[in-house]
Amino acid sequence: MATLVIVESPAKARKIAGLLGAGFVVRASLGHVRDLPGSKAEIPERYRAEPWANLGVNPETFAPIYVVPAGKQATVRELRQLAARADRVLFASDMDREGEAISYHLSRLLGVEQPTRMVFTEITREALQAALRSTRPLDLHLVAAQEARRVIDRLVGYGVSPLLWGSVGGKLSAGRVQSAALMLVAQREMARMRFRPATFWSIRADVLTRPKFTATVTRVRSSEHPQGLPIARSGDYTQDGALKAGVQVLEMTDGQASALSAYLDGREATVTSVDVTETRTRPAPPFITSTLQQAGGRLNLSAKGVMDAAQRLYEGGYITYMRTDSPALSDEALTEARREATRLFGPGAVPAQPRQYATRNPGAQEAHEAIRPAGTSWRAPAATGLSGADLDVYTLIYQRTVASQMTDAVFDRTAVTLTCGAATLGAQGRVLKEAGFRQLLQDDDPKDEQRLPALAAGQRFPLKARPPEGKKTSAPTRFTEATLVQAMEKAGIGRPSTYAQTLATLQTRDYVRLSGRHLAVTAVGLLVATYLARQVPDVTQQGFTATMEAGLDDVAAGKTTRVAYLTRFWTDGLSQTIRRASRDAPNLPLPHLDGTRLRAAGSGPHLVRAGQSVPLPPQVIPADLDDTQASAILQGTWTEKARPARRTGEKTSAGRARSRKTTPP
């Protein structure tokens, strides 16, 4: 027998087998083949008497117990048989920490004393041949980092989750990354509940040029303020609805707004200044894991949906490895991107020199390229034979990569100022001069502003006032999956490969729930976040979590050892916090409902007011409650409103469900 190549997935194995041809047998391990015990039944007999056996890790030495799960034993037997007959075994799992750990555990199970790694970032014939020529030994630093991550996740999960069972109730879970991410969305939800709107006015008028354009009153002069005061805008107010300290603006009443609008109507305004400047917009860098997940919203795909499609594309040989935080491209990719741009739009579509991008994330691991089409000759989306989400994601990656090497988009931006009596008005417009990369990415820029006619200072034009618009400041916007990924990346919470799974876990645990495209925090999610913030604050603090991630990076780089890392963060840190934590039930004031609290109880979250406590219906999002609904829940008269039918005419499951009535205990 010839060479045995072991990868993770059957799809990847089939693709690679077809490219390597005779002399190679390619098989899949189906992911990890050894892990910490998942149940008591999996704990080997020799460890069952140990007080820490249920953890699967000795918390004093951090020695893990590894077992082959029942579902993987047949796979391991087959791989052992193939390895025994092979002339050579190549471990070709992914080139990240998880892939390195898979190769390590396989080598131990198969009895390969000096394992050889075959690594590649794309599944093409050329890339595989290059990988065969440049095999390397196992990187034990990466293995140690993965093991440290697995051990700390087990210790945190098994250490903190029981605290939640005793305080919030139910079989809840906590985790190193999950809990910090939950705190981000919970803090945003609490900010929404604390928010108090402020009212401000927008006074606009059409300037009757040809074509006409719309100007907005920006300042008003008065005897008290001869230089004029700016009209209050949304950004002048705090989230409590008060003016920010030190801000001097004109807060208009509805009567003043109507009077000013009537004053402008029919009068002439004088153009006092016209400023025309050229502005340029650079194309965005090629995708990394986090930005690809964020862009999935354009396709109505969740972060997990995007990563699932990217995994299939990688295994099918369509794109390079999809777990990376480097936006850099290889010289071959730069050449091909420029060639594609030139093929599509001509020689003028690319600048004189290739564009190269560097990450702004100090914690990035830049060993890999950006996510791009695979190979040295890229397939246009229409020529791939793909369909559905796979085609959509490939198109996104192809266009973003090619566009990254195209010229800037160039605009003429015009800012005009006008005066009419005591009022100063302003307007802005923009005209596209050179499309550049926007030839390929038509929707990759904010909506165009109005186009202004040619104007000169001193010109006078009549105004036609529009009805004044009373507006309210907006509450902080809930996170979408895309913006939460962005916030996690900025805060250093997790790594690109963990984002999609973290979002999925938060929703599976019903800590957050999708409300349209936004993530609303459930009552259980708020109570869990409240308890953790008070009793185990380390797991919710961004700085602590980011430092833990940096420590794992140090282990991967050989700058510290696995045991030193785990001792610092567990023995000397988090374990002591967990030991001191009480199991008091969290009790959370709801700031948007006077005198109302959310309390954990054995039967689930309760709504509490004036000495009365009733179960909160599980479908109710606390931040969406108003006073009338809260009173109805407390009185036992609340019913769930059916949600509007979808445009197809089919109702949602919630809409089909019968209205449920609550009754006091």
Side-chain angles (χ1 to χ4, degrees), residues 67-130:
V67 298
V68 178
K72 291 297 180 71
Q73 290 178 6
T75 300
V76 171
R77 278 196 301 272
E78 181 193 11
L79 292 174
R80 277 176 174 156
Q81 293 168 0
L82 292 170
R85 300 198 302 268
D87 298 326
R88 181 171 62 151
V89 179
L90 295 177
F91 298 95
S93 48
D94 290 343
M95 60 186 297
D96 56 11
R97 297 172 192 169
E98 295 298 316
E100 208 73 14
I102 290 171
S103 292
Y104 168 79
H105 289 293
L106 279 168
S107 69
R108 301 281 77 78
L109 290 170
L110 304 186
V112 179
E113 294 298 326
Q114 294 182 323
T116 301
R117 287 284 275 131
M118 174 185 174
V119 294
F120 42 85
T121 59
E122 55 186 327
I123 302 176
T124 62
R125 195 180 308 278
E126 296 81 6
L128 294 175
Q129 292 300 323

Side-chain angles (χ1 to χ4, degrees), residues 298 396 399 437-438 440-447:
R298 303 181 203 169
L396 204 62
Q399 291 184 342
F437 72 93
R438 296 187 79 235
L440 186 57
L441 301 181
Q442 292 294 333
D443 61 346
D444 201 58
D445 206 73
K447 62 181 180 180

Side-chain angles (χ1 to χ4, degrees), residues 258-330:
S258 297
L260 179 56
S261 181
Y263 172 82
L264 296 174
D265 194 41
R267 279 185 164 79
E268 283 194 334
T270 302
V271 177
T272 55
S273 68
V274 180
D275 291 321
V276 180
T277 55
E278 182 181 275
T279 61
R280 308 178 76 89
T281 303
R282 295 190 69 191
F287 283 123
I288 59 176
T289 306
S290 60
T291 54
L292 179 61
Q293 291 176 8
Q294 293 166 43
R298 303 181 203 169
L299 308 175
N300 292 320
L301 289 174
S302 66
K304 184 178 185 301
V306 171
M307 292 307 291
D308 287 347
Q311 180 82 39
R312 292 190 296 269
L313 292 171
Y314 169 63
E315 292 177 351
Y318 292 96
I319 64 170
T320 54
Y321 190 52
M322 66 289 166
R323 293 190 180 95
T324 176
D325 45 18
S326 169
L329 294 173
S330 65

